[in-house]
Amino acid sequence: MEKIREIDQLGGWALLTAGLAQLQMEPDDEQLWQFRRYAEMLQEWNEKINLTAISDIEGIIIKHFFDSLLFWKEIKPSAHRKLCDVGSGAGFPGIPLKIMFPSLEVVLLEATGKKVKFLDKVISELDLRHIGAVNARAEEYGRMVGIRESFDVVITRAVATLSVIGEICLPLVKVGGIMVGLKGPGAEQEAASESGVLVKLGGSGFRMIQDRLPFLMDPRYCFLVEKSSSTPSAYPRRPGMPEKRPLRP
């Protein structure tokens, strides 16, 4: 109840500033405007296409913006140049990360054409540079010459298991880069046995970090996988196969 009262007292945009401060971030006026316009566009477009079930300003700020930025220190954006957001949807976590770290080169990978149109509009409206939305499945994108194993960071917010995320994302990560899986409550039950699958795909096991969203008690988890060797050419399998027949150690 105390957290709910705190949210109510702060209101939408004061909530944004206060929460970013909790995350040890100091946005300038342009970045605050970009977050605000992004939230407005989410609400506007959500009336036309199904972008997100969370449509109130406070929910967008906490459960989308803060959730996207919560583990920014683990991602080390200043140390990496090129990031791919797999299954970006309405732009999370890629767009909030790009707003706060403009030097990042970002690809928003999304399989649904209508969502890609929204992402293109957001990029244009917010005047974001060195970022683009790609309409493709990760299984196909990860096999493209010049794309495969070319990203410093591949990140996703997904409900899929680590083995599924690994098969889809690790082929895109260059050796020496990292795969980042952002997950919500219940992720602590992920089977440690899936570490063997990640090794098979070129990863070096995984590390799990837990934190909580500003103003809420909801736990969030970050799974970090370092890419230690090239992913075998057999992976990823064709679209749909990683989910239908997850790899086993």
Side-chain angles (χ1 to χ4, degrees):
M1 286 299 295
E2 186 63 34
K3 293 294 181 182
I4 294 173
R5 283 196 294 271
E6 189 175 1
I7 292 170
D8 290 340
Q9 288 169 359
L10 284 169
W13 307 120
L15 187 72
L16 174 63
T17 305
L20 290 175
Q22 286 190 32
L23 295 175
Q24 299 180 14
M25 292 179 162
E26 298 180 359
D28 59 25
D29 289 343
E30 181 181 7
Q31 290 167 317
L32 289 173
W33 175 83
Q34 288 173 324
F35 276 119
R36 181 166 187 161
R37 183 63 190 127
Y38 184 20
E40 291 170 349
M41 292 182 73
L42 281 165
Q43 289 183 314
E44 293 165 6
W45 280 66
N46 212 40
E47 296 179 0
K48 309 171 191 176
I49 61 176
N50 182 26
L51 289 172
T52 172
I54 301 168
S55 57
D56 62 289
I57 289 296
E58 288 77 11
I60 289 171
I61 290 171
I62 297 174
K63 296 184 178 180
H64 283 321
F65 294 171
F66 296 163
D67 188 63
S68 296
L69 297 169
L70 184 61
F71 296 101
W72 71 270
K73 290 183 179 179
E74 303 300 332
I75 296 166
K76 298 181 175 63
S78 61
H80 299 288
R81 186 181 64 83
K82 196 172 181 182
L83 178 145
C84 182
D85 174 10
V86 172
S88 188
F92 306 114
I95 291 179
L97 285 166
K98 177 63 179 178
I99 290 173
M100 285 306 308
F101 303 99
S103 64
L104 278 175
E105 183 179 337
V106 177
V107 169
L108 306 173
L109 188 62
E110 173 51 46
T112 304
K114 290 181 179 179
K115 292 180 180 179
V116 171
K117 289 181 180 179
F118 169 73
L119 295 173
D120 285 337
K121 188 67 175 176
V122 172
I123 291 168
S124 175
E125 182 80 10
L126 273 53
D127 195 25
L128 299 173
R129 309 296 176 87
H130 306 295
I131 179 172
V134 175
N135 187 193
R137 292 286 298 259
E139 297 95 323
E140 297 167 334
Y141 195 60
R143 287 190 167 276
M144 293 183 182
V145 176
I147 298 296
R148 186 180 178 89
E149 298 193 327
S150 67
F151 291 93
D152 299 292
V153 181
V154 176
I155 190 168
T156 186
R157 290 204 309 174
V159 295
T161 63
L162 269 174
S163 63
V164 173
I165 293 172
E167 183 175 356
I168 291 172
C169 294
L170 276 172
L172 290 163
V173 183
K174 71 181 186 182
V175 175
I178 58 171
M179 183 192 87
V180 182
L182 304 181
K183 289 175 168 284
E188 72 277 12
Q189 298 174 7
E190 289 273 6
S193 61
E194 294 193 8
S195 178
V197 172
L198 299 173
V199 171
K200 180 188 297 186
L201 294 165
S204 55
F206 69 88
R207 181 163 58 97
M208 185 182 77
I209 302 139
Q210 179 181 352
D211 206 340
R212 294 187 183 274
L213 291 174
F215 307 110
L216 292 182
M217 296 303 293
D218 294 1
R220 291 293 186 269
Y221 299 88
C222 174
F223 288 89
L224 289 174
V225 181
E226 295 182 5
K227 183 75 172 282
S228 56
S229 61
S230 291
T231 302
S233 60
Y235 306 109
R237 291 168 292 168
R238 66 178 185 272
M241 285 299 292
E243 294 89 350
K244 291 179 182 177
R245 297 180 184 175
L247 295 174
R248 297 287 181 257

